[in-house]
Amino acid sequence: MSLRFKRIAVKIGSNVLTRPDGTLDITRMSALVDQIAVLHKKGVELVLVSSGAVASGRSILGLNKKMDVVDQRQLYSAVGQAKLINHYWDLFREHGITVGQVLTMKENFSSRRHYLNQRNCMQVMLDNHVIPVVNENDTVSVSELMFTDNDELSGLIASMMDMEALIILSNIDGIYNGSPVDPASQVIREISKGQDVSDFIQSSKSSFGRGGMATKTTIARKIADEGIEVYIANGKKENILLGLLDKKEEVISTHFVASREGVSSVKKWIAHSEGFAKGEIHVNENAAKALCGDKAVSLLPVGATCIEGEFEKDDIVKIVGEDGQALGVGKVQYDSRKARELLGRKNQKPLIHCDYLYLE
Ligand code: GLU
């Protein structure tokens, strides 16, 4: 077997891991673990992002409709995650492989320090041949500060760990060019940079998880633009992972083709930091044009018109155009007081250096 990639993130959705009655589908889990074990033994470094905690907890305790939704999530995930990781532990153990649990939250991606700390944690696991099994810490995460879903989390992990590929396993074969239930519809096999597929995205959501095709597509595009190949495929199909990784096989999936221009590690972090922006820098039309052009340019004080909010040096700030449109984010080189002082002034050091700028 000749492998396409040596370093990957795999996300398994709740719908892959649960039966229609909501209980964990151990046979499916076991089949996926068997495939991951083959890859692991062939030297593939792999981080597994697994959903299914809430669904599993719910099936153990039974749905209590009277309970507040946050209470439900906290209770079900506390119980379900324990069960989920127990199964992974036992199933991987049969192959002599050790797994470790990483429960994380959006805040852990907010500062560069937390981000690097988290990256180090997963790298040290990989270096010691331990497979990280990652999920959101649903028991204590605050609703407004949660990941949209585990697709978003898996994208952040793939980006943070400089993976070659991200494989998102769902319960359908990929993105269809029509309704998945219409026999005339076909899976779009390849989506290249800039190709608009929004017309094909179904708004319906799968039943057990939080995500849907719309977030999958947005995340997949963003990650592919950072130079990581992304595949959306059916986790319920036999040998799907081995098929995707085997150069000689052609399995049905939607492949978001990675951009060839590499993106630096700092830029990757900044690209995912929009939700943590502390303030805004408004820029004039000339600056907006220069920033959005083909050349890499820094944001200079002369092009800035207004500073909103309070921030420290090295915080993430949003860049906003004259019409109020968000242009991107960047790591700022001054605190907000100094930045205000420099507004509109020529011959000053950049507010944001181009290496620390991520434009949409
Ligand atoms: N973290 C959730 C769980 O384990 C899943 C979130 C999602 O559906 O993407 O149940």
Side-chain angles (χ1 to χ4, degrees):
M1 181 180 179
S2 160
L3 293 167
R4 280 197 170 92
F5 310 109
K6 295 289 273 182
R7 196 173 158 91
I8 60 171
V10 176
K11 184 254 170 174
I12 309 182
S14 301
N15 282 281
V16 177
L17 296 178
T18 38
R19 295 202 184 85
D21 65 358
T23 56
L24 272 184
D25 184 348
I26 311 299
T27 317
R28 182 54 44 211
M29 261 181 111
S30 169
L32 287 162
V33 166
D34 290 350
Q35 295 173 62
I36 294 172
V38 171
L39 298 174
H40 182 80
K41 287 185 180 151
K42 288 194 177 291
V44 174
E45 290 185 300
L46 186 145
V47 173
L48 178 61
V49 179
S50 178
S51 303
V54 173
S56 155
R58 193 189 295 125
S59 80
I60 295 166
L61 296 168
L63 177 63
N64 180 347
K65 280 193 184 147
K66 279 197 222 120
M67 213 194 284
D68 170 81
V69 282
V70 174
D71 291 358
Q72 281 185 28
R73 191 187 73 228
Q74 293 183 319
L75 175 66
Y76 297 153
S77 65
V79 173
Q81 180 66 27
K83 171 141 192 185
L84 192 68
I85 200 71
N86 245 309
H87 279 302
Y88 277 124
W89 177 269
D90 288 343
L91 292 168
F92 276 109
R93 218 53 215 156
E94 283 174 29
H95 295 277
I97 297 171
T98 311
V99 295
Q101 172 174 266
V102 181
L103 295 179
T104 187
M105 287 189 284
K106 207 162 182 174
E107 290 102 301
N108 295 340
F109 291 82
S110 65
S111 79
R112 185 84 185 136
R113 195 165 143 239
H114 281 101
Y115 182 84
L116 293 178
N117 180 50
Q118 201 169 205
R119 181 160 87 180
N120 185 64
C121 147
M122 283 182 224
Q123 189 54 48
V124 83
M125 289 168 87
L126 292 176
D127 290 346
N128 287 280
H129 309 289
V130 171
I131 298 183
V133 180
V134 187
N135 197 357
E136 180 165 13
N137 197 348
D138 292 305
T139 51
V140 289
S141 52
V142 178
S143 304
E144 300 78 51
L145 299 175
M146 287 178 77
F147 300 106
T148 319
D149 50 40
N150 271 2
D151 298 322
E152 183 186 14
L153 172 60
S154 67
L156 281 164
I157 302 271
S159 168
M160 178 173 82
M161 299 308 292
D162 288 325
M163 294 304 187
E164 291 172 84
L166 164 65
I167 297 172
I168 298 179
L169 296 179
S170 178
N171 59 349
I172 58 170
D173 288 346
I175 296 174
Y176 283 84
N177 59 5
S179 163
V181 289
D182 179 349
S185 309
Q186 283 179 336
V187 171
I188 308 171
R189 301 296 284 269
E190 210 173 86
I191 298 178
S192 46
K193 195 180 161 85
Q195 189 179 335
D196 182 16
V197 289
S198 53
D199 284 354
F200 300 132
I201 307 304
Q202 308 289 313
S203 54
S204 63
K205 247 171 32 66
S206 47
S207 44
F208 290 112
R210 289 209 298 272
M213 269 305 155
T215 49
K216 278 189 182 53
T217 313
T218 312
I219 292 294
R221 189 65 270 155
K222 194 162 179 176
I223 299 302
D225 285 350
E226 290 174 17
I228 299 169
E229 309 289 349
V230 184
Y231 296 82
I232 297 178
N234 193 337
K236 294 213 181 235
K237 271 206 171 150
E238 289 314 306
N239 281 327
I240 185 74
L241 271 178
L242 297 179
L244 278 172
L245 272 266
D246 188 347
K247 273 191 183 152
K248 288 202 202 84
E249 278 200 48
E250 259 311 313
V251 296
I252 295 184
S253 68
T254 297
H255 174 199
F256 287 77
V257 181
S259 152
R260 292 284 148 250
E261 305 117 48
V263 175
S264 75
S265 155
V266 169
K267 275 213 177 194
K268 282 184 190 169
W269 166 61
I270 293 171
H272 296 283
S273 297
E274 200 186 316
F276 309 115
K278 294 273 164 53
E280 291 180 359
I281 299 181
H282 290 244
V283 299
N284 63 28
E285 209 183 319
N286 282 345
K289 253 197 214 140
L291 288 170
C292 300
D294 287 339
K295 271 209 275 164
V297 294
S298 299
L299 170 55
L300 301 170
V302 68
T305 54
C306 152
I307 305 287
E308 271 182 23
E310 301 304 321
F311 47 82
E312 299 295 321
K313 178 178 181 295
D314 292 338
D315 275 346
I316 297 289
V317 294
K318 250 191 211 166
I319 302 153
V320 181
E322 272 183 346
D323 49 3
Q325 186 202 353
L327 302 174
V329 279
K331 188 159 88 125
V332 68
Q333 304 217 70
Y334 301 98
D335 61 31
S336 46
R337 193 186 52 82
K338 184 81 190 157
R340 280 194 184 95
E341 254 174 56
L342 294 176
L343 271 184
R345 292 207 351 218
K346 285 191 187 149
N347 303 326
Q348 300 293 327
K349 280 210 209 115
L351 288 168
I352 302 174
H353 188 271
C354 60
D355 287 347
Y356 298 95
L357 200 56
Y358 178 83
L359 297 157
E360 284 171 10

